[in-house]
Amino acid sequence: MSKTVWAGKFLTVQTEGTWEFAARQGEIAAAVIVAIDDGDVILVEQFRVPLGRACLELPAGLVGDETAGESVAVAAGRELEEETGYRADAIENLGVFYSSPGMTSECFTLVRATGLSKVGDGGGDGDENITVHRVALADVPGFVAEKRAAGVAIDTKMLLILAGSIL
């Protein structure tokens, strides 16, 4: 049985035996979006407080943080448009994955967004300052290397694109 050491709005810190881990509060989940259009992938870069620097990532966001009962597909579409300015004709669920199972219970649903149309600038909501990158798939390894050399953190989910495992 886990014991809650600390609880915030979205996270708890818990202990169970000798394990210490973070857990998501309530029914809030996350969606991570692989958005590929005409051989390009849509990426985002934003400052991440826990890292103390910008991070290159796939677009992503919370499911159900604004509307209870929100579906993953609806949240993914909303987040894609908010963060990147692209709207998808279709969102395909690729399954649930766990971020760092030795440290957190957090999981995310990976989705593929297709049929993209540019409908806005993106950049996130008022609290976010997201830079949108549209990168040819063949150029992703070099782009990631350039960002890393510039001091930008690279999210682990970028391995999906680097490995080409879902293309």
Side-chain angles (χ1 to χ4, degrees), residues 18-158:
T18 59
W19 284 89
E20 297 176 335
F21 59 96
R24 280 269 183 219
Q25 277 275 52
E27 299 299 314
I28 294 175
V32 175
I33 306 134
V34 176
I36 297 176
D37 186 48
D38 291 331
D40 295 342
V41 63
I42 310 303
L43 303 173
V44 296
E45 182 179 333
Q46 62 183 311
F47 184 82
R48 293 298 194 178
V49 171
L51 303 178
R53 60 183 168 154
C55 187
L56 183 67
E57 310 169 358
L58 295 169
L62 296 177
V63 178
D65 62 328
E66 296 177 7
T67 306
E70 181 179 43
S71 73
V72 169
V74 168
R78 173 181 52 78
E79 290 288 345
L80 179 66
E81 189 170 334
E82 178 184 291
E83 290 191 359
T84 70
Y86 285 90
R87 183 175 294 152
D89 287 339
I91 304 279
E92 176 189 0
N93 187 320
L94 300 175
V96 174
F97 296 84
Y98 291 83
S99 306
S100 183
M103 189 173 115
T104 178
S105 67
E106 181 183 46
C107 63
F108 61 90
T109 301
L110 185 66
V111 302
R112 182 182 357 237
T114 55
L116 303 183
S117 303
K118 186 74 167 160
V119 296
D121 294 331
D125 63 24
D127 294 336
E128 298 170 311
N129 185 15
I130 296 173
T131 302
V132 181
H133 300 286
R134 184 179 174 118
V135 182
L137 287 168
D139 296 340
V140 169
F143 184 76
V144 167
E146 288 173 16
K147 288 294 182 179
R148 182 177 283 121
V152 174
I154 309 299
D155 184 77
T156 189
K157 293 174 284 302
M158 287 296 300

